[in-house]
Amino acid sequence: MFKRILHEDWTTIVPVIAFGITFTFFIVMIVRSMRMKKSQRDHLSSLPLEDDAPSD
Amino acid sequence: MTITYDDKTPRHFMIASIIWGLVGMLVGVIAATQLSWWQANGQILETLTFGAIKTEGISWLTYGRLRPLHTNAVIFAFVGNMAFSGIYYSTQRLCKCRTASDKLSKIHFWGWQSIILGAAVTLPLGLTQGKEYAELIWPLDIAVALIWVVFAINFFWTLSKRNEPSLYVALWFYIATIITVAMLYIVNNLQIPTSITHSYPIFGGLQDALVQWWYGHNAVAFFLTTPILGIMYYFLPKAANRPVYSYRLSIIHFWALVFIYIWAGPHHLLNTALPHWLQTLGMLFSLMLWAPSWGGMLNGLLTLRGGWAQLRTDPVIKFFAAGITFYGMATFEGPLLSIRAVNELSHYTDWGIGHVHSGALGWNGLMAAGMFYWLAPRMWNTKLWSKGLANLHFWIALVGILLYVAAMWTAGITQGLMLGQLNDQGTGLKYEFVDTLLAIRWPYYFRSIGGTLYLIGFALCAFNIWKTAKSGEPVEGTAEVTPLDRKKKDFLSLKAVFGHKAVQHVFCVVIFTIFWIFAPRGGDYAALALVIVFSVLAVRAFRRDVQNWADFHDRLLENYIPLTVLAFIAVAIGGAVQIIPTLMVDRAKNIEGRLQEHYTPLELAGRDLYIDEGCFGCHSQMIRTLVPDVMRYGRQGVADDYSHLGESIYDFPHQWGSKRTGPDLAREGGPATEEGGHVRNGRRDNLWHFNHFLNPRQTSPGSNMPPYPWFFEEKTNFKSLPGRIAAQRRLGVPYPAMTKEEIEQNAREQALAIADTLKASAFIPGKEDLSGDELRNYLAERKIIAMIAYMQKLGTYTEQKLDKEKPDTFDPDQQRKRK
């Protein structure tokens, strides 16, 4: 069995599946991020810039 | 209302990171130097003390024991503490609330430092699990798991108390770090203890290799990368005083990274006995990682758009910009090395070492320094003591890294090419292994110099931060916040998300797709039909509720629990698809062809010794399916003499290794020379091994291996063997039933038989008075004999023929065969 795993061309299908899954995932995430509202984007990206004051 | 942040915890973690960073890097420089001068393994103390200490080598100072100390110190102590510092500081600010529990923060801090201290003591003592980056013994593993849970509770509790509805992307990276590291650490450290300091992992051979590198690769991903990316997304905008270049890109960066990273582990096992489909998956996902990694790098660098002038004046920006550039370089090199053809040359050489150091020194180290220089003035309410010194640190560090990495590239490529070169007649290999080692001694010197420069730079950083701290007073930050109505955050319950029909249908689609791939014929068609049915149902369910789902992702940003669960699913899928089928089919009873002969009690003692000494740091036990490997390490006249999968099935843990500073040992052993099977004669005889451990240069001129004088003094622990063999039996190694006495007697008999072959010719310095039977009896008790027994057993196997139909459940090959 393991010899066959090493030598057979079973693996030719793996790249296609792998790429398919990942590509779909990429597309979904791109669509989701493109659909984000500008106001929310701006709000989120400004979060680190809200400053705090050191106290003693 | 006004809140006060807990800045004591991040401050403490920062100080700890700096201290442990110095220790880790110093040990690194020592270990690097040991590869150039074997005397640095302890013998040098004889020179330094003008002969007051007489030694050829000191056990706790040898490379094999120091290397894990170096890697663990840099990963878990230096970068770990740095990440915790950044996480505690930024999470509070992004959540606009103080960390949920000061007590838990304190337990986390002191618990983590105790674990590091435990590691710093146990690793040089040779107490190790023998798995790279997971060397810590089981009691420390349990402590790590407990402290990690404390950290997780504190973190998620803080999220639940937050006064800001939205979760900034840095927090997503922290969430992914916490859940994934927990998953990886627990699975890879499942083990059966045999004593308070020793255990065997529950996976062996190929299974262990796969689980180990699933863990090892993702320790890089989720311990050294994702938390630092979170830190980048918080501290870089802060330092540059401008928002991140593209928030959209950061979302894609996050999801793509956590989804893809986890699949890439098998690229550490290319061209080995690992099934080909797994190698292909590992290579492909590594190549695909390029995209999100570079997306993240560009997002970081472009955040500085319009602000590049700050590079000239602000050392923080300088460190961040260079750190992110190294992230880009390392994530370019990683996929490159994962291409199977490139990996033929690079694997097991110093190229890999260069790669990890461009990540650790360039990405982690420079990001850490940038963050420290930014945090210190704010933590002590003062100014950075010296910008000039920080700039000097930057340039020294940069030159150090470049020297280091270039040296390792040169060494790796030179050695890789030499190892595969044929002689002029084309009938054999041109170089002995030791020739290739001698050819790269200059790059090795330069590596030590590069590492030393980096260490000096970091010492300047430590001094600068110390002076900064002294010039100010520790302060806690405060902020005015508006308490948030609970209804405005975390309003999506898990039930609302996962109880929804559409989600359930999508889940079924994924499950049945996996069944379709792996199920035997007949079952796969049924699974495919179900995939189609559930796809239709899912689309219908989505369409019924389309408006609600349209902004599902937007709402996810304000609900940390569903976000965490989704991130967990994204990281768990990859591991499940790769590991579960292997666990199902890779059993001794399914092996066709070569099946490993299990170790005798004495050989097992030798093997445990091999692991304790960290021999796997320099020697592999895996002849790859490559012509130069088979020509160099395979036996003459034996066809297909690469390492077959069944040959290491009883190895708990596997010892395939990741670097060859010395030659591969997979075929070191050989057949028995007498009836009882106690004495074997492999590639080299017992006397050769005896002399080699005493003084490697006597048998292999030019070798950089340390001598092991304590093997000739310390006794083999025969008493521990029954417990260890009982554990091996539980793991499925087919030992016959033996009583404790029989096990010990068997080991002692074999030791005497091996020692008997040496009594006429062996010579131990300082024990000149021993000879004949006296010498034999002395040696039989000593570790050297157990070690020789193990060496002579390596690579022995029996041929197994399967007479029945193989089980076909989840066997990815079965359906192909029938077609």
Side-chain angles (χ1 to χ4, degrees):
Chain A
M1 161 169 47
F2 295 105
K3 278 181 184 162
R4 282 188 286 279
I5 293 183
L6 275 174
H7 297 305
E8 275 198 4
D9 60 350
W10 184 86
T11 56
T12 46
I13 196 172
V14 173
V16 183
I17 298 172
F19 183 73
I21 294 171
T22 313
F23 189 73
T24 315
F25 197 84
F26 254 110
I27 295 294
V28 171
M29 288 331 296
I30 288 171
V31 169
R32 291 320 315 169
S33 63
M34 296 307 279
R35 285 181 62 113
M36 229 176 149
K37 293 184 207 89
K38 186 168 177 1
S39 58
Q40 194 177 13
R41 272 183 358 237
D42 291 344
H43 169 66
L44 278 164
S45 54
S46 67
L47 276 177
L49 300 175
E50 294 170 15
D51 247 324
D52 57 274
S55 72
D56 9 53
Chain B
M1 73 173 181
T2 308
I3 55 158
T4 308
Y5 294 125
D6 166 26
D7 284 346
K8 202 166 141 187
T9 306
R11 196 159 42 229
H12 283 173
F13 273 120
M14 180 168 98
I15 295 168
S17 169
I18 294 173
I19 295 169
W20 289 121
L22 286 170
V23 174
M25 291 174 204
L26 178 66
V27 177
V29 170
I30 295 172
T33 308
Q34 288 173 329
L35 294 179
S36 296
W37 291 281
W38 66 269
Q39 292 89 337
N41 290 282
Q43 204 258 0
I44 194 169
L45 292 180
E46 198 172 302
T47 319
L48 291 176
T49 57
F50 300 103
I53 298 175
K54 284 247 177 280
T55 180
E56 280 296 298
I58 294 177
S59 60
W60 48 270
L61 260 182
T62 41
Y63 176 83
R65 296 195 191 182
L66 286 191
R67 180 188 180 263
L69 182 66
H70 164 61
T71 53
N72 280 280
V74 170
I75 298 171
F76 298 105
F78 169 52
V79 183
N81 278 316
M82 170 261 183
F84 294 139
S85 173
I87 291 172
Y88 274 99
Y89 185 88
S90 58
T91 301
Q92 298 183 77
R93 269 111 185 136
L94 291 168
C95 289
K96 297 193 178 124
C97 72
R98 190 182 170 92
T99 311
S101 163
D102 288 358
K103 195 170 272 170
L104 289 183
S105 305
K106 211 173 225 176
I107 296 174
H108 179 195
F109 176 78
W110 288 109
W112 196 255
Q113 308 319 314
S114 316
I115 291 165
I116 295 168
L117 211 57
V121 174
T122 53
L123 291 172
L125 287 177
L127 302 172
T128 168
Q129 288 193 110
K131 286 162 76 90
E132 277 185 75
Y133 321 123
E135 286 93 347
L136 303 192
I137 51 174
W138 68 269
L140 289 175
D141 285 338
I142 291 178
V144 170
L146 290 176
I147 294 298
W148 199 259
V149 169
V150 167
F151 169 44
I153 292 173
N154 208 7
F155 177 82
F156 286 113
W157 192 0
T158 308
L159 288 192
S160 76
K161 288 174 75 176
R162 71 190 187 278
N163 290 313
E164 160 60 49
S166 305
L167 298 160
Y168 182 65
V169 70
L171 296 173
W172 303 13
F173 278 103
Y174 302 157
I175 290 173
T177 302
I178 292 172
I179 53 170
T180 316
V181 170
M183 172 182 80
L184 296 166
Y185 204 87
I186 290 170
V187 175
N188 190 45
N189 282 300
L190 294 173
Q191 52 201 307
I192 300 182
T194 63
S195 75
I196 188 73
T197 55
H198 184 265
S199 61
Y200 290 117
I202 66 163
F203 303 116
L206 162 78
Q207 295 181 357
D208 185 53
L210 189 59
V211 172
Q212 157 63 26
W213 287 112
W214 169 72
Y215 161 86
H217 175 72
N218 290 297
V220 176
F222 289 89
F223 204 90
L224 299 176
T225 307
T226 52
I228 317 303
L229 285 171
I231 283 169
M232 173 187 95
Y233 276 117
Y234 178 80
F235 286 95
L236 181 67
K238 208 83 180 149
N241 203 22
R242 58 194 69 228
V244 64
Y245 171 66
S246 164
Y247 200 79
R248 284 170 167 163
L249 189 53
S250 72
I251 292 175
I252 300 169
H253 180 201
F254 172 78
W255 283 111
L257 202 74
V258 298
F259 181 76
I260 299 177
Y261 236 128
I262 207 88
W263 297 76
H267 70 208
H268 289 259
L269 301 166
L270 294 179
N271 303 305
T272 66
L274 186 78
H276 218 266
W277 68 278
L278 280 167
Q279 296 189 26
T280 309
L281 265 187
M283 176 174 98
L284 269 161
F285 275 92
S286 307
L287 286 170
M288 289 191 279
L289 256 181
W290 220 320
S293 301
W294 272 50
M297 173 195 71
L298 291 173
N299 211 3
L301 289 179
L302 289 173
T303 299
L304 296 172
R305 75 203 177 285
W308 287 106
Q310 290 180 67
L311 266 182
R312 273 180 296 165
T313 52
D314 187 355
V316 174
I317 296 286
K318 213 179 267 183
F319 276 99
F320 281 162
I324 296 165
T325 308
F326 270 104
Y327 173 60
M329 293 305 109
T331 56
F332 171 83
E333 195 182 26
L336 178 77
L337 295 175
S338 302
I339 298 171
R340 205 181 282 137
V342 179
N343 197 271
E344 282 184 32
L345 175 70
S346 71
H347 194 52
Y348 287 135
T349 74
D350 286 302
W351 195 346
I353 314 299
H355 172 60
V356 295
H357 282 84
S358 79
L361 302 175
W363 161 239
N364 293 132
L366 296 184
M367 290 300 286
M371 189 183 89
F372 296 157
Y373 287 129
W374 188 87
L375 272 178
R378 287 161 180 83
M379 293 260 180
W380 281 281
N381 196 22
T382 178
K383 276 188 173 160
L384 185 63
W385 183 68
S386 166
K387 262 191 188 182
L389 205 60
N391 277 325
L392 183 65
H393 169 200
F394 176 80
W395 289 111
I396 293 181
L398 199 64
V399 172
I401 302 171
L402 293 177
L403 207 55
Y404 190 110
V405 174
M408 289 297 93
W409 281 343
T410 313
I413 295 170
T414 306
Q415 194 176 27
L417 289 174
M418 284 179 78
L419 286 171
Q421 197 168 344
L422 295 179
N423 61 21
D424 295 339
Q425 296 78 36
T427 51
L429 292 166
K430 185 165 184 181
Y431 298 105
E432 288 293 317
F433 191 92
V434 77
D435 297 333
T436 69
L437 195 66
L438 291 172
I440 55 174
R441 41 180 206 280
W442 276 99
Y444 271 27
Y445 300 149
F446 280 114
R447 183 241 302 262
S448 289
I449 297 170
T452 307
L453 284 177
Y454 195 87
L455 173 64
I456 292 171
F458 196 72
L460 295 180
C461 172
F463 181 69
N464 208 352
I465 301 282
W466 179 61
K467 290 297 261 182
T468 305
K470 277 193 62 165
S471 72
E473 286 295 322
V475 286
E476 315 272 315
T478 58
E480 281 300 320
V481 299
T482 321
L484 187 68
D485 183 359
R486 275 200 69 82
K487 286 181 190 154
K488 288 195 173 163
K489 61 174 181 185
D490 305 331
F491 45 80
L492 267 182
S493 72
L494 270 183
K495 206 177 152 199
V497 178
F498 298 98
H500 195 283
K501 278 218 158 56
V503 177
Q504 290 175 347
H505 292 155
V506 169
F507 182 72
C508 290
V509 170
V510 173
I511 293 293
F512 286 113
T513 308
I514 294 171
F515 272 112
W516 171 61
I517 298 171
F518 291 110
R521 200 170 188 182
D524 58 346
Y525 292 128
L528 185 62
L530 285 170
V531 169
I532 297 169
V533 170
F534 279 111
S535 303
V536 173
L537 287 175
V539 171
R540 283 177 59 179
F542 270 123
R543 286 182 61 161
R544 227 177 286 141
D545 206 6
V546 71
Q547 196 45 51
N548 201 8
W549 284 100
D551 40 52
F552 169 68
H553 185 259
D554 291 0
R555 281 180 289 138
L556 207 55
L557 305 181
E558 293 168 4
N559 292 274
Y560 77 93
I561 296 173
L563 183 88
T564 305
V565 175
L566 282 179
F568 178 73
I569 293 173
V571 293
I573 290 175
V577 171
Q578 292 180 346
I579 294 170
I580 293 171
T582 313
L583 298 189
M584 297 280 211
V585 293
D586 179 32
R587 306 254 168 88
K589 62 175 187 208
N590 298 340
I591 295 286
E592 197 178 84
R594 298 181 181 183
L595 180 66
Q596 185 181 14
E597 272 186 52
H598 66 76
Y599 302 105
T600 64
L602 184 71
E603 290 155 6
L604 185 70
R607 180 170 201 274
D608 290 343
L609 189 58
Y610 179 94
I611 289 170
D612 292 347
E613 296 300 340
C615 304
F616 58 89
C618 290
H619 294 282
S620 60
Q621 290 181 19
M622 171 49 61
I623 304 171
R624 295 176 293 168
T625 50
L626 301 172
V627 173
D629 258 43
V630 176
M631 282 178 84
R632 184 171 296 278
Y633 303 115
R635 290 156 301 177
Q636 277 198 333
V638 182
D640 294 340
D641 207 25
Y642 46 83
S643 292
H644 293 228
L645 194 144
E647 288 178 46
S648 50
I649 202 154
Y650 300 131
D651 278 351
F652 296 87
H654 81 292
Q655 293 290 291
W656 295 3
S658 66
K659 170 75 175 65
R660 287 176 184 156
T661 301
D664 185 272
L665 303 177
R667 294 267 176 269
E668 205 54 41
T673 54
E674 41 97 288
E675 218 168 277
H678 283 330
V679 180
R680 289 171 176 273
N681 204 359
R683 187 167 285 222
R684 297 163 181 101
D685 61 21
N686 291 344
L687 185 64
W688 187 95
H689 284 293
F690 182 93
N691 289 329
H692 185 243
F693 283 115
L694 197 60
N695 176 9
R697 278 145 294 282
Q698 185 188 334
T699 46
S700 314
S703 164
N704 61 354
M705 179 168 140
Y708 288 82
W710 60 96
F711 282 4
F712 300 80
E713 288 159 20
E714 293 175 7
K715 289 184 175 178
T716 303
N717 187 355
F718 292 104
K719 292 281 174 221
S720 69
L721 286 171
R724 294 188 177 196
I725 285 178
Q728 294 256 324
R729 278 176 63 117
R730 283 175 67 191
L731 291 166
V733 184
Y735 280 102
M738 286 188 283
T739 64
K740 285 182 183 178
E741 292 72 29
E742 282 169 343
I743 291 172
E744 207 182 317
Q745 194 195 345
N746 181 298
R748 287 184 187 279
E749 275 174 14
Q750 188 176 8
L752 278 170
I754 294 173
D756 200 53
T757 65
L758 292 164
K759 68 178 181 187
S761 40
F763 169 81
I764 312 173
K767 297 265 186 290
E768 291 83 357
D769 50 328
L770 290 177
S771 62
D773 285 352
E774 219 181 351
L775 176 63
R776 182 196 64 186
N777 296 343
Y778 174 85
L779 282 175
E781 295 274 319
R782 300 298 181 279
K783 285 182 170 176
I784 179 66
I785 296 298
M787 199 66 184
I788 291 175
Y790 174 57
M791 288 291 121
Q792 299 288 20
K793 183 62 174 276
L794 281 168
T796 52
Y797 57 82
T798 52
E799 290 282 347
Q800 174 166 280
K801 276 204 171 22
L802 294 178
D803 52 357
K804 58 181 169 73
E805 268 292 299
K806 289 162 284 293
D808 55 3
T809 326
F810 295 111
D811 173 2
D813 247 15
Q814 194 67 13
Q815 49 171 322
R816 302 272 143 195
K817 195 189 82 179
R818 289 192 186 169
K819 278 171 195 168

